[in-house]
Amino acid sequence: MGIISVLLIVQVNHLSSKKETRETANPFMNSLILKLNYLKSKAIKDGKPITLIFNHYSNKITVKEPSIENNDIKLPDHSFIYPQTNINYLTFDNKGNTNKFGTVYISVNKVIYKVVFHIEKGRMRYEKRKIKASILIDSMLSFTIMIAMCNLLLPMILQLNYSFKNKLDYINMKRVMLLTLKHNDQKDLNKGVKIADYEIKLDNYKICIKSKDYLNEKCYYK
């Protein structure tokens, strides 16, 4: 039952991930990444740095290049630079590298996307920002997986622990019995000898050892 639960959860996660990938794709954001990559390539080709300026709530990305007036990148209607953005500007140098790393958040028709800039080789990517509900669902799914795994593994661990304890008790009982046979004669054994937590007794047919709580007992027949 636990395995089935895990498989079902994994399948739901897989389908959810595919759906999220489809929803994340946005024509404008795809176009924006292409434009940013073009500006990076232009900085390499011309050997001149190009700076991008991100002003909070602005509906455009300002483009600055030495001695050249560039067209700014305009955002669609009802779109703006979201104030959670943590970089005000970013520069592509003549090798295509960026001078800093960070994230620019852009609200496009009330959907927030984030463009992540990596400092090495001017790499960038965008993705749809996860909303709280999505994070909550992911947390609940993770918690459910943990519960399912516990339900599956805990009985096995307990059984192994129980078997291991029984083995140890059995070995200890044999050790105590051998010591008792070595240091006691038959008369003492017939009366019963108590050692530590065990009692050993011999009769005409068998010799038995049992714990004081009577939970464990082992007999050897003649």
Side-chain angles (χ1 to χ4, degrees), residues 40-173:
K40 180 178 73 172
S41 299
K42 189 174 187 297
I44 297 172
K45 176 178 174 294
D46 296 343
K48 297 178 181 179
I50 295 178
T51 299
L52 308 174
I53 300 173
F54 310 100
N55 294 317
H56 293 178
Y57 297 105
S58 175
N59 63 351
K60 66 180 180 181
I61 299 173
T62 304
V63 181
K64 295 290 185 181
E65 185 176 357
S67 306
I68 297 176
E69 185 175 347
N70 281 306
N71 293 325
D72 297 331
I73 300 175
K74 294 183 179 180
L75 306 183
D77 294 338
H78 311 297
S79 304
F80 58 90
I81 304 295
Y82 198 71
Q84 196 175 349
T85 295
N86 59 18
I87 51 175
N88 296 323
Y89 70 92
L90 181 140
T91 300
F92 293 117
D93 63 19
N94 57 7
K95 294 182 180 178
N97 298 322
T98 54
N99 63 334
K100 60 175 67 179
F101 63 91
T103 302
V104 175
Y105 290 86
I106 301 176
S107 176
V108 181
N109 293 321
K110 298 183 179 180
V111 178
I112 298 175
Y113 295 87
K114 61 180 183 179
V115 181
V116 182
F117 291 93
H118 302 272
I119 196 167
E120 184 181 356
K121 297 182 180 179
R123 293 182 295 115
M124 68 197 81
R125 60 181 172 82
Y126 86 89
E127 61 187 45
K128 186 176 178 180
R129 190 183 72 168
K130 282 188 175 182
I131 59 175
K132 291 183 179 179
S134 176
I135 296 174
L136 179 60
I137 291 172
D138 287 348
S139 299
M140 291 177 64
L141 287 173
S142 299
F143 180 73
T144 305
I145 291 175
M146 290 177 62
I147 293 297
M149 294 298 292
C150 287
N151 288 336
L152 180 65
L153 295 177
L154 189 57
M156 296 172 58
I157 294 173
L158 292 175
Q159 180 61 38
L160 287 173
N161 185 59
Y162 179 75
S163 299
F164 180 70
K165 185 177 181 302
N166 282 345
K167 286 286 186 183
L168 286 179
D169 288 343
Y170 175 68
I171 292 172
N172 195 45
M173 289 170 73

